[in-house]
Amino acid sequence: MNFNLTDDQQAFAETARQFAQQELAPHAAEWDKQHHFPKDVIQRAGELGFCGLYTPEEAGGLGLSRLDSSIIFEELSMGCTATTAMMTIHNMATWMIATWGTEALKKQWCDDLVSGEKLASYCLTEPGSGSDAAALRTSAKKEGDHYVVNGSKMFISGAGETDVMVVMVRTGEAGPKGISALVIPADAEGIVYGKAEEKMGWNAQPTRLVSFEDVKVPLNALLGKEGEGFKFAMQGLDGGRVNIATCSIGTAQQALNTARDYMHERQQFGKPLAAFQALQFKLADMNTDLVAARQMVRLAAFKLDQQDPEKTAYCAMAKRFATDVGFQVCDQALQIHGGYGYIREYPLERHVRDVRVHQILEGTNEIMRLIIARRVLAEGAGEIR
């Protein structure tokens, strides 16, 4: 059991770190202030392969493991949480098209998506179904050689700015077995975008309601077979939970680094904050919790790569623990800064705002606890270690 990064993983991390420091960190505060979506920067990330990290090589991606991808996303999120989170969503949608799409769909979209020339959104949540994804109502009915899609999706990252959407729709009976996945061009006739939501954080990416009004979609836009959409969505969410947990870890690491440096610089009562034992202990606890969370996330990514039977439970545990720890570390880093942490001249308040949503996304942390509890209480299922 070797916990050290391989030479390749260290090289991936270094490349991502340099990109984050040069392309993301210097602009993150301004993007947040102006609500600017940096599509040009994401395209430059695509030139390094960051828009198709775990997309299979035969579809033009790097074909990396989820563990390798997590290491990269962690470094990127130290530069800008919101932009990196959007990149993780794009990676997931691209991977879904490359994995379950027809050859025609792959040819139509994959080259542009893995290069970052075009961007993808993922549409699962609806106004009436958030964590209860199996209750979604957006319908797709066959009419001749097309599906006709009607309904709406809520809280869609990148909506109105991306080029294609992976949309979960109902093609059959109620419940999960009636759900299918369609790939729909973002400019298809009949799609209406709502206003960009005014959010607490993640301001460097737009979030909108998407309405589908008699949108015609070719039958070959279907991923896999009819009725397989919910299965695809759940597989996507396993990886999505690792991704969003990773963004929390990276942001929290940056917040901790900022607090550490501030403790050396800030003088109170004739000595630096770093000389006060109470703050030393606080920083020690922050670092300990962060290392524990990182190891849990990487374990979950490894279990996902190995297609371990317990992968869903590990991903849920990692998401619950790491997003909670990430928020707590960012909050404590702000506290160490005192009043300075609360003003926008410093990045701490942005870190706190950006990571708070991670406890809600990809299933709230209450849902994560439910997934974990059901597995722990399952009769005859054995232990999770």
Side-chain angles (χ1 to χ4, degrees), residues 156-328:
I156 304 305
S157 293
E161 297 285 348
T162 51
D163 303 283
V164 64
M165 297 179 287
V166 175
V167 185
M168 296 297 158
V169 297
R170 185 163 301 284
T171 55
E173 63 188 79
K177 293 182 180 179
I179 296 173
S180 301
L182 295 176
V183 177
I184 305 179
D187 60 356
E189 185 177 354
I191 295 179
V192 179
Y193 295 100
K195 67 177 180 65
E197 300 290 349
E198 292 289 332
K199 308 189 297 290
M200 174 180 172
W202 272 26
N203 290 322
Q205 53 162 283
T207 303
R208 290 185 171 92
L209 172 78
V210 184
S211 297
F212 300 88
E213 301 174 0
D214 292 328
V215 177
K216 290 186 177 181
V217 183
L219 296 180
N220 66 4
L222 180 71
L223 295 182
K225 300 176 182 178
E226 284 194 5
E228 291 186 322
F230 189 78
K231 177 180 69 174
F232 298 160
M234 293 304 100
Q235 290 185 41
L237 285 176
D238 280 343
R241 287 164 184 160
V242 169
N243 290 344
I244 210 66
T246 298
C247 289
S248 287
I249 296 302
T251 307
Q253 183 66 63
Q254 186 59 48
L256 189 150
N257 293 351
T258 303
R260 177 202 61 203
D261 294 344
Y262 182 78
M263 285 174 60
H264 285 296
E265 297 165 1
R266 177 69 167 168
Q267 296 274 335
Q268 289 290 281
F269 304 102
K271 54 185 177 180
L273 295 186
F276 291 89
Q277 191 175 66
L279 293 181
Q280 292 174 6
F281 286 177
K282 182 188 290 288
L283 204 68
D285 288 343
M286 291 161 64
N287 206 108
T288 300
D289 292 345
L290 189 54
V291 169
R294 178 181 293 110
Q295 296 309 315
M296 181 169 279
V297 170
R298 291 182 179 178
L299 174 62
F302 173 79
K303 294 291 186 180
L304 190 55
D305 286 329
Q306 298 299 311
Q307 288 300 297
D308 189 282
E310 303 286 4
K311 61 183 183 296
T312 295
Y314 279 101
C315 291
M317 288 189 290
K319 193 269 180 180
R320 202 289 299 165
F321 187 69
T323 58
D324 283 351
V325 166
F327 178 75
Q328 291 160 10

Side-chain angles (χ1 to χ4, degrees), residues 68-108:
D68 292 344
S69 301
S70 176
I71 291 166
I72 291 169
F73 287 140
E74 180 180 340
E75 296 293 340
L76 293 175
S77 60
M78 292 179 71
C80 180
T81 313
T83 303
T84 302
M86 183 64 222
M87 290 168 61
T88 71
I89 295 166
H90 170 85
N91 267 268
M92 179 174 69
T94 301
W95 165 76
M96 295 177 93
I97 295 171
T99 302
W100 295 300
T102 62
E103 289 304 316
L105 275 178
K106 295 177 187 178
K107 185 175 181 180
Q108 181 180 2

Side-chain angles (χ1 to χ4, degrees), residues 8-31:
D8 283 347
Q9 288 169 338
Q10 292 181 43
F12 296 150
E14 179 59 28
T15 300
R17 186 179 305 119
Q18 290 180 9
F19 186 86
Q21 291 173 350
Q22 295 169 11
E23 299 281 359
L24 300 179
H27 311 291
E30 187 65 19
W31 294 340

